Amino acid sequence: MEFRIERSALTDAVAWAARVLPTRSPVPVLGGLLLEAADGRLSISGLDYEASARIEVAAETVRAGKVLVMGRRLLDVCKVLPEKVVECAVEGSRFSLASDGARFGLSVLPFDDYPALPSLPEVLGAVDAEEFAAAVAHVAVAAGRDDTLPTLTGIRLALDGDTMTLAATDRYRFAVRTLSWKPGRDGVSADVVVSARRLTEIARSFGRGGTVSLALDGGSAGFELAGTRTTVRLLDGRLPRHDKLFTLTGAVTAETDRAPLVEAVKRVAVVAEGGSPLQLAFSEGSVLLQAGYEDDVASQRLPAVLEGAEDLTVAFNPAYLMDALGSFDASVIRFELMGPGQRAMVTGRPAAGDAQPDGGRPAHQHLLMSARPLV
């Protein structure tokens, strides 16, 4: 095996495939990346028990072949190589990389214990890469972090006609995002749960844009885009439905500009320690943000519009509120409030003069449980 490739192209491809490699594994070869060169192309693939990744890039093939080497060590080497053409070859029991006078030799791993890369499930349709990545980021902040409740660490991916719904919850907050996609045939439907961490990594790798092919079967989800392919094992179980939770009959509504609110929450939350909540006291024309811990206090007043009540005070976990606000890019934040200690819906809307969404519920909704206000 022998090939030549630009250093930046090799580094990017190795970094992309290495994302799925396990940090620790009882099977050492799972820390390896499989490099295969043939017909002017280089494919690099890696896998663990939960996910797999494969990327294909152009490379000058001198001698076709394949090699298995430790992936993270290969990535470390690629990062420090000179920014020149890299000459790569298998020489006996070593894989050599040479560029502009620098030369490295890496031990070759045996193929015997290396599992076959899983095949891509059935392709069901396609979705815009940038829109999908943004939607995953919107809901991933609400996914659980407790591995003892694995289903809650996932993102629900539901398909119904030409609508895709992504949702995540850790029982204290619930984020939902809908977007359009293009099913490959009529009657496509699915309802699965994918690891939020894995799906976030996959979505971030789509930064180049384009159209992502989405594939699903009973045990895995697959994504393919412009020479890259990745699969991830589905999580068992189902996330709770959000329909009834998101119905807030008789809610009081409040609106305020998002950017000043984000800055005010960051500022006031500095003194919110020990699990103390951040309070929002809405009244006619303004909202007063307050937080305190022991003898330390902070407050800031902002313009706001309140409808449905003369005044209303609610409080939130500052970190949860910040996560929710940070997931929106709308100019104005809208709260639907049921009262202290009850559900509160956060959505966004464009400012006057900006493009307005179509009728119906917003595509992006974030439900929070409010805490009791400060005494």
Side-chain angles (χ1 to χ4, degrees), residues 152-373:
L152 293 183
T153 66
I155 291 176
R156 178 189 177 214
L157 193 162
L159 306 175
D160 184 11
D162 60 358
T163 299
M164 175 186 295
T165 301
L166 301 174
T169 180
D170 62 2
R171 296 182 299 176
Y172 304 103
R173 45 192 172 162
F174 206 138
V176 174
R177 175 73 159 83
T178 58
L179 64 158
S180 298
W181 79 301
K182 297 179 180 178
R185 53 180 171 78
D186 293 337
V188 172
S189 65
D191 195 342
V192 298
V193 181
V194 185
S195 162
R197 179 176 66 85
R198 293 289 189 183
L199 194 58
T200 298
E201 290 175 350
I202 292 169
R204 284 175 178 169
S205 72
F206 297 153
R208 72 191 73 182
T211 301
V212 179
S213 295
L214 170 61
L216 284 175
D217 61 18
S220 64
F223 305 86
E224 192 168 28
L225 169 67
T228 65
R229 189 191 81 185
T230 185
T231 64
V232 58
R233 181 176 61 84
L234 301 177
L235 297 178
D236 294 330
R238 291 286 184 268
L239 289 181
R241 303 284 298 187
H242 64 274
D243 310 71
K244 292 183 179 179
L245 283 173
F246 280 32
T247 301
L248 278 63
T249 305
V252 173
T253 62
E255 293 186 352
T256 187
D257 291 341
R258 185 186 65 85
L261 179 61
V262 168
E263 291 304 313
V265 170
K266 290 179 182 178
R267 188 173 296 120
V268 174
V270 168
V271 299
E273 298 182 13
S276 60
L278 189 150
Q279 178 174 288
L280 284 76
F282 291 96
S283 57
E284 184 178 355
S286 70
V287 56
L288 178 64
L289 285 73
Q290 293 178 293
Y293 182 68
E294 295 182 346
D295 293 332
D296 299 330
V297 294
S299 66
Q300 182 171 351
R301 189 176 294 275
L302 297 174
V305 176
L306 181 68
E307 295 182 2
E310 294 184 359
D311 55 71
L312 181 63
T313 299
V314 292
F316 299 102
N317 176 301
Y320 290 177
L321 179 60
M322 197 64 242
D323 284 344
L325 298 177
S327 68
F328 289 91
D329 53 14
S331 302
V332 176
I333 289 294
R334 177 183 176 87
F335 293 93
E336 295 179 43
L337 306 168
M338 297 298 291
Q342 300 187 54
R343 290 168 293 158
M345 178 65 72
V346 183
T347 56
R349 72 163 180 81
D354 293 348
Q356 300 293 319
D358 296 333
R361 295 296 298 175
H364 179 196
Q365 300 170 271
H366 197 114
L367 189 75
L368 291 173
M369 285 302 299
S370 63
R372 292 294 176 182

Side-chain angles (χ1 to χ4, degrees), residues 61 66 85 87 91 100 131 168 196 222 240 246 267:
T61 306
K66 62 182 180 178
V85 172
E87 298 181 356
E91 300 173 346
D100 197 29
E131 187 174 358
F246 280 32
R267 188 173 296 120

